[in-house]
Amino acid sequence: MAKPREPWNIRPAKKRPSVTASLKAEVETKAKDLIENVLKPKYVLPPPKKEQGNYIIDIGAKWYRNYFYFILTYACPSPNALSPTFEWRLARMEPLGEGKFALYAMRYTGKEWVGVFDALSVDECMKAIRDDPWFVP
C-alpha cells in the first residue's frame, strides 16, 4: 500500500510502479478539466500594454516518461529576448502505485523539484494544484 513518506524524505522512488492506461486517461481527463475551467481563466490574461515582462500565454499538461507535468508557456515580448516563448514546469506528479501520487513543485531556480505532498489520490493532487500556494505561477 502506498503510504506517506516522511516530509523531509519525499524524493523520487528508486523503483517506479508502472502506470495503467486507465489511470493515465483519468489523470489526463481531470488535468484537462482543471486547466480549462480553473487555471486558464485565472492565469492566462491578455498581454500587458506597456510592460516588456514575460506573461503566461498557455497552460498544458503531459506525460513524460513516468511523470505527469503541468506546463506553463510564457511569451517574451522584449526585443532583446533570446526566444519569443519558453516553457516552465509548474508541477510534477509521480505515481507511487495503487492510484497514489507524490506531488512536486519546481523551485524558483528551475533546477530541482521540491516534494510538497505524498500519497495523494488524483483528485487530491488536482485540488492541491488548484488551491495550494506552491503551485501559483
Side-chain angles (χ1 to χ4, degrees), residues 58-113:
D58 194 23
I59 301 174
K62 68 179 179 179
W63 285 96
Y64 181 70
R65 297 189 178 154
N66 202 35
Y67 299 107
F68 188 74
Y69 293 95
F70 284 82
I71 302 167
L72 305 172
T73 304
Y74 282 86
C76 308
S78 171
N80 300 327
L82 298 175
S83 171
T85 63
F86 68 92
E87 290 185 346
W88 181 265
R89 293 181 175 175
L90 176 69
R92 177 176 83 177
M93 293 172 60
E94 174 195 1
L96 299 176
E98 300 179 16
K100 299 291 184 179
F101 291 86
L103 190 58
Y104 297 83
M106 179 60 77
R107 286 193 67 206
Y108 66 93
T109 59
K111 295 186 179 179
E112 73 180 303
W113 292 97

Side-chain angles (χ1 to χ4, degrees), residues 3 32 34 69 98 116 134:
K3 62 180 184 173
K32 183 178 179 183
L34 174 68
Y69 293 95
E98 300 179 16
V116 181
W134 274 99

